[in-house]
Amino acid sequence: PDTPVIVVFGATDDELLGGGATFAKRLSEGWQVHAVVVCEGESVRYARAEVDQQAQAREAARVLGFSSCRCLMYEDQRLDTVPQVELN
């Protein structure tokens, strides 16, 4: 497949829970899959020093075989406070 796939996730654990099997299949077929994680995924549940969700997301993407993983670092579960034009 010549067209890369870009997958946008709200939080750092969504790439596995939401579509891990689908991405694994596409990766096994030779697709390039790029992940974009919108929220930092930890401030609501953890202290930032306690859990490094971004590092874990990048490691999960590496293990799955994603071509890249970018974390945008918006505040977890606070996208309603961000202007829609900024998110777009």
Side-chain angles (χ1 to χ4, degrees), residues 3 9-10 17 23 35 37-38 48-50 53 57 66 72 74-75:
T3 305
F9 304 105
L17 299 176
F23 307 133
V37 182
V38 178
R48 286 190 185 236
E50 182 181 349
Q53 291 284 323
F66 283 27
L72 301 181
Y74 283 93
E75 191 175 356

Side-chain angles (χ1 to χ4, degrees), residues 10-26:
T12 51
D13 57 357
D14 294 342
E15 78 279 1
L16 295 174
L17 299 176
T22 299
F23 307 133
K25 179 178 182 189
R26 295 294 178 239

